Amino acid sequence: MFFIYFLVLVWIVMFKMKFSLADLPHYRALNLDPFHDALNHPIRTREIIDNVIIFIPYGILMAMMRDKRSFFSKIFPIFLTSLCFETLQYVFAIGSTDVNDVITNTLGGLLGIFIFWIFKKVFRRNAEKVVITLALILILLLVIFIAFYYILTGTVI
């Protein structure tokens, strides 16, 4: 499950849901000024929300896989993954490298960790079964959504 999620995450973050490198925007931009004017632009606000949402499952999975470990050992891989994505985007000139993305991705992971903590409190021993069942349903819905998206837009996979 983690492997499938991680592949989808790479496809969304690095490849902007494209199947061809030629379709990616090739430019290099760097923003190290956190949230400078980002909240005054509706497009940027949507990007912030999307970044948080796509990393929530990462936090849930880290909390599940590292249940008995420290908070730091759960959040650090999320931060590091986001930082690697942003660095690779800059190195390969496939988009904008933005400190906001690292912050909001890590925040999404933090929310995921918190969500799993709530599930553990509510469902106790069955928390992992509930999360895995929900995750499988969401993965199935994601695959269906992606298929419909490409069918409706006429994009050839």
Side-chain angles (χ1 to χ4, degrees):
M1 189 168 49
F2 179 77
F3 182 72
I4 292 170
Y5 167 73
F6 197 78
L7 286 177
V8 170
L9 188 64
V10 169
W11 182 57
I12 291 171
V13 174
M14 294 297 298
F15 298 104
K16 313 296 185 240
M17 298 192 323
K18 306 281 185 203
F19 286 103
S20 168
L21 289 176
D23 293 338
L24 290 174
H26 290 285
Y27 64 91
R28 185 175 284 132
L30 179 63
N31 174 29
L32 297 176
D33 189 5
F35 300 106
H36 174 73
D37 209 29
L39 298 176
N40 294 328
H41 293 88
I43 295 171
R44 300 288 297 163
T45 304
R46 178 67 194 179
E47 181 182 338
I48 290 169
I49 292 167
D50 289 347
N51 284 343
V52 169
I53 289 171
I54 63 171
F55 268 77
I56 289 173
Y58 201 172
I60 292 170
L61 290 168
M62 280 292 110
M64 243 172 57
M65 293 186 317
R66 298 169 177 243
D67 191 28
K68 302 292 185 210
R69 293 185 152 175
S70 71
F71 171 76
F72 181 77
S73 74
K74 295 172 188 168
I75 198 72
F76 186 69
I78 298 166
F79 166 77
L80 196 58
T81 300
S82 180
L83 184 63
C84 286
F85 284 161
E86 294 303 310
T87 302
L88 289 171
Q89 283 178 337
Y90 185 80
V91 169
F92 293 116
I94 53 174
S96 175
T97 300
D98 196 335
V99 69
N100 297 332
D101 293 348
V102 175
I103 294 168
T104 54
N105 293 344
T106 305
L107 178 61
L110 179 65
L111 281 171
I113 292 168
F114 181 69
I115 288 169
F116 185 72
W117 179 79
I118 290 172
F119 271 75
K120 291 242 345 169
K121 294 295 179 193
V122 172
F123 296 106
R124 301 191 199 301
R125 290 186 184 147
N126 294 325
E128 288 186 16
K129 290 178 187 175
V130 170
V131 169
I132 289 171
T133 303
L134 287 173
L136 290 174
I137 291 168
L138 290 173
I139 288 170
L140 180 62
L141 291 173
L142 178 65
V143 168
I144 292 169
F145 169 77
I146 291 168
F148 276 118
Y149 172 80
Y150 282 104
I151 290 168
L152 292 175
T153 60
T155 306
V156 178
I157 297 178

